[in-house]
């Protein structure tokens, strides 16, 4: 195992190490100080949607414990904190009347991060769409793109002067594919028509939010966070190679090409273009030049062709890891080469700005024993993936920072609280935080890099 000091030496001096969270996953206080429900508040109350009917009502109670949590982040020796702003706290109805108490919370949070010498990397939208907007169709309605732009302008006017960078949307794949095609995330749709509409509206919302933010602060570095997948053919056959490329277009290019090329691939338009609410000028709005982009990476995909080619496009099947493959406790394959291979592939396909690894981490459900959490498997995962990040930098990929997912165990969406990604253990009954061994390891890495 490489020492944290030796590993940190492989990164440029200006490289930033950070930790990441998201509002609905940690804040709790679901109805405090003017916040109204999001689609996840409603979804989690529907029987059978979330493990054991759990919700983010309390989560890690960060809304009330934020000062102690910021002290915890500072103690880790990291440079930066990535978090999301809860749209339902700022605009409880999605549009219209601003909840000043919601803005006040993030005002205090940001000021306190700066006071502690931590850089500020917020995300506008991390899946907590105000429930009121579902009355108009949610992400299937073009009006939601305008609503995100309004929200962006309000946030940047109040908070943008103290941000180091701002992301518009976190993982539109989850808000589109996972939420409207596969029905796993809120609002739980399983509709090709709803999916196609949501994809375009999410892309359009990103572009409009960038325009709105820049209308207030042209100097604010703007980006988008994508969970692009490292896709490998399951075999060397022509059929599997073709299926892997179709899967790449359907899961990755469907977001990257409009944002970075200003167009949808012809195969995507042939498959679902008639169901996408595309209007003249939309692609120019989506194709805003970005200052940076974020990649969230956890695991690769192995893709085979649909045997009878009877399914809808992309006629590709994801092959699950076999019994001999190293996996995390959530069942995801561990392959750090997927990270470096994906970065090289994306930079060969698109003219991309500098990148941050905005999420990377692993689910291991180790608990405290005699006050300690021995999570050596997470340390091994992190070491491998940070090494792959350093390899990519060495190969010329412009990576500016790495945000570990996650600071602390939290509400893991449809998995509830049974899956733990944090380097800090949370006892959800007592809200006691316990640094895992991986937190000590990451602190050694971050502090060693500062003395480089």
């Amino acid at each position: 195992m490489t020492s944290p000091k030796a590993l940190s030496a492989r990164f440029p001096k200006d490289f930033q190490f950070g930790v990441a969270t998201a509002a609905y996953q940690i804040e709790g206080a679901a109805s405090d100080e003017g916040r109204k429900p999001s689609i996840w508040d409603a979804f989690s109350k529907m029987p059978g949607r979330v493990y054991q009917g759990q919700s983010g009502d309390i989560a890690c109670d960060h809304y009330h414990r934020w000062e102690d949590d910021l002290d915890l982040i500072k103690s880790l020796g990291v440079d930066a904190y990535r978090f999301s702003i809860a749209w339902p706290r700022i605009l409880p109805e999605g549009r219209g009347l601003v909840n000043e108490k919601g803005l006040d919370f993030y005002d205090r949070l940001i000021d306190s991060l700066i006071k502690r010498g931590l850089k500020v990397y917020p995300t506008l939208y991390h899946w907590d769409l105000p429930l009121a907007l579902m009355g108009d169709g949610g992400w299937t309605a073009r009006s939601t793109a305008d609503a995100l732009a309004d929200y962006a302008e309000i946030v940047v006017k109040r908070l943008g002067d103290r941000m180091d960078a701002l992301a518009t949307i976190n993982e539109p794949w989850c808000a589109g594919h996972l939420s409207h095609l596969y029905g796993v995330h809120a609002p739980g749709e399983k509709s090709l028509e709803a999916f196609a509409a949501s994809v375009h509206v999410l892309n359009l919302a990103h572009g409009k939010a960038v325009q709105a933010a820049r209308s207030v602060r042209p100097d604010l570095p703007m980006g988008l966070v994508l969970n692009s997948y490292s896709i490998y053919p399951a075999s060397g056959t022509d059929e599997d190679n073709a299926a892997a490329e179709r899967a790449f277009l359907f899961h990755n290019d469907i977001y990257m090409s409009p944002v970075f090329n200003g167009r949808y691939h012809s195969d995507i338009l042939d498959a679902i273009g008639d169901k996408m609410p595309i209007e003249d000028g939309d692609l120019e709005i989506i194709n805003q030049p970005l200052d940076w982009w974020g990649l969230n990476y956890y695991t690769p995909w192995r893709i085979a062709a649909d045997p009878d080619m009877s399914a809808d496009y992309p006629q590709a099947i994801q092959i699950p890891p076999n019994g001999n493959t190293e996996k995390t406790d959530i069942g995801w394959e561990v392959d750090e080469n997927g990270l470096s291979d994906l970065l090289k592939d994306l930079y060969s396909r698109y003219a991309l700005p500098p990148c941050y690894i905005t999420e990377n981490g692993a689910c291991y459900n180790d608990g405290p024993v005699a006050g300690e959490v021995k999570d050596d498997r997470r340390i091994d995962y992190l070491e491998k993936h940070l090494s792959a990040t350093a390899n990519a930098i060495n190969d010329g990929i412009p990576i500016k920072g790495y945000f570990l997912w996650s600071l602390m165990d939290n509400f893991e969406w449809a998995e509830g609280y049974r899956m733990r990604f944090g380097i800090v253990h949370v006892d959800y009954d007592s809200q006691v935080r316990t640094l895992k061994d991986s937190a000590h390891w990451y602190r050694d890495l971050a502090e060693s890099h500062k003395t480089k």
Side-chain angles (χ1 to χ4, degrees):
M1 184 177 288
T2 307
S3 71
K5 184 175 182 178
L7 182 56
S8 72
R10 299 187 59 198
F11 291 90
K13 188 172 181 59
D14 61 351
F15 191 87
Q16 294 182 17
F17 289 100
V19 289
T21 65
Y24 189 72
Q25 293 181 269
I26 68 166
E27 285 184 358
S31 58
D32 285 22
E33 296 189 318
R35 183 192 183 276
K36 287 192 175 181
S38 74
I39 56 174
W40 268 96
D41 292 281
F43 187 73
S44 61
K45 303 299 190 296
M46 297 169 64
R49 295 294 198 170
V50 174
Y51 176 72
Q52 292 187 348
Q54 295 167 348
S55 75
D57 285 356
I58 300 173
C60 304
D61 196 31
H62 173 74
Y63 192 78
H64 300 116
R65 302 168 185 265
W66 63 271
E67 289 191 270
D68 289 341
D69 287 340
L70 296 196
D71 287 342
L72 184 59
I73 296 170
K74 178 64 177 176
S75 77
L76 294 173
V78 296
D79 307 296
Y81 179 42
R82 178 178 175 247
F83 61 98
S84 75
I85 296 168
W87 191 345
R89 290 201 194 281
I90 310 304
L91 292 162
E93 300 292 341
R95 302 185 83 165
L97 187 65
V98 175
N99 178 30
E100 293 296 333
K101 289 183 178 179
L103 284 170
D104 289 345
F105 172 73
Y106 295 105
D107 236 341
R108 295 191 297 269
L109 186 77
I110 290 174
D111 282 349
S112 296
L113 284 168
I114 294 169
K115 183 180 177 180
R116 289 166 173 81
L118 294 162
K119 293 188 179 297
V120 179
Y121 285 80
T123 299
L124 284 170
Y125 183 70
H126 198 129
W127 311 348
D128 49 358
L129 186 73
L131 185 60
L133 293 180
M134 286 303 296
D136 296 325
W139 283 117
T140 68
R142 288 178 60 93
S143 57
T144 302
D146 295 318
L148 184 75
D150 292 347
Y151 164 53
E153 182 176 349
I154 290 163
V155 168
V156 173
K157 278 182 177 177
R158 177 71 174 271
L159 308 173
D161 60 322
R162 287 154 289 156
M163 296 176 180
D164 289 279
L166 178 63
T168 55
I169 298 173
N170 178 79
E171 297 185 353
W173 183 91
C174 290
H177 288 68
L178 209 55
S179 301
H180 291 85
L181 184 61
Y182 304 132
V184 177
H185 279 191
E189 288 266 23
K190 292 184 180 180
S191 161
L192 185 62
E193 290 76 15
F195 158 71
S198 71
V199 166
H200 183 66
V201 172
L202 283 158
N203 285 333
L204 183 62
H206 157 74
K208 289 194 170 194
V210 172
Q211 290 180 323
R214 284 183 172 151
S215 72
V216 179
R217 295 201 66 84
D219 59 335
L220 178 59
M222 294 298 301
L224 171 69
V225 172
L226 299 164
N227 58 321
S228 299
Y229 286 97
S230 180
I231 293 175
Y232 298 101
S235 75
T237 66
D238 290 344
E239 292 79 8
D240 284 358
N241 283 328
E245 181 61 18
R246 290 195 300 273
F248 181 95
L249 295 177
F250 187 70
H251 295 286
N252 295 340
D253 187 80
I254 198 169
Y255 300 106
M256 296 203 76
S257 191
V259 170
F260 296 110
N261 294 340
R263 62 180 181 272
Y264 288 103
H265 194 280
S266 59
D267 288 5
I268 296 297
L269 292 176
D270 289 344
I272 60 171
D274 62 325
K275 300 174 179 65
M276 303 173 84
I278 302 172
E279 295 184 2
D280 289 345
D282 282 1
L283 275 300
E284 288 80 8
I285 293 171
I286 296 168
N287 183 217
Q288 298 298 307
L290 296 180
D291 303 290
W292 63 278
W293 72 285
L295 173 64
N296 294 354
Y297 174 86
Y298 294 93
T299 188
W301 282 5
R302 314 288 174 180
I303 295 294
D306 178 34
D308 58 10
M309 300 297 280
S310 61
D312 291 328
Y313 187 88
Q315 297 169 325
I317 297 171
Q318 185 182 355
I319 306 300
N322 63 40
N324 298 320
T325 302
E326 184 183 359
K327 298 182 286 291
T328 65
D329 285 351
I330 204 171
W332 297 349
E333 177 184 352
V334 176
D335 185 356
E336 68 277 12
N337 294 321
L339 174 56
S340 48
D341 288 348
L342 175 60
L343 283 163
K344 286 183 275 190
D345 185 20
L346 294 174
Y347 274 89
S348 72
R349 291 176 185 251
Y350 309 99
L352 299 174
C355 174
Y356 291 85
I357 308 301
T358 35
E359 288 182 28
N360 178 241
C363 173
Y364 292 111
N365 297 325
D366 307 287
V369 177
E372 296 183 336
V373 182
K374 301 287 187 184
D375 60 339
D376 289 345
R377 293 176 299 169
R378 179 175 288 106
I379 293 172
D380 182 65
Y381 178 100
L382 294 173
E383 181 188 2
K384 288 176 178 176
H385 287 77
L386 279 160
S387 181
T389 302
N391 290 341
I393 293 171
N394 191 57
D395 289 336
I397 305 297
I399 308 172
K400 301 301 184 184
Y402 175 97
F403 291 85
L404 189 155
W405 185 271
S406 175
L407 167 65
M408 67 180 92
D409 298 332
N410 54 48
F411 177 76
E412 191 49 49
W413 307 109
E415 298 289 348
Y417 294 98
R418 66 174 169 172
M419 297 297 172
R420 294 177 177 267
F421 281 82
I423 57 171
V424 175
H425 180 274
V426 178
D427 182 312
Y428 297 115
D429 293 326
S430 68
Q431 292 295 340
V432 169
R433 276 81 157 133
T434 303
L435 271 66
K436 303 178 186 180
D437 282 1
S438 56
H440 297 292
W441 180 89
Y442 196 54
R443 179 172 58 198
D444 289 346
L445 176 83
E447 290 183 342
S448 294
H449 184 259
K450 284 181 176 177
T451 62
K452 181 178 175 182

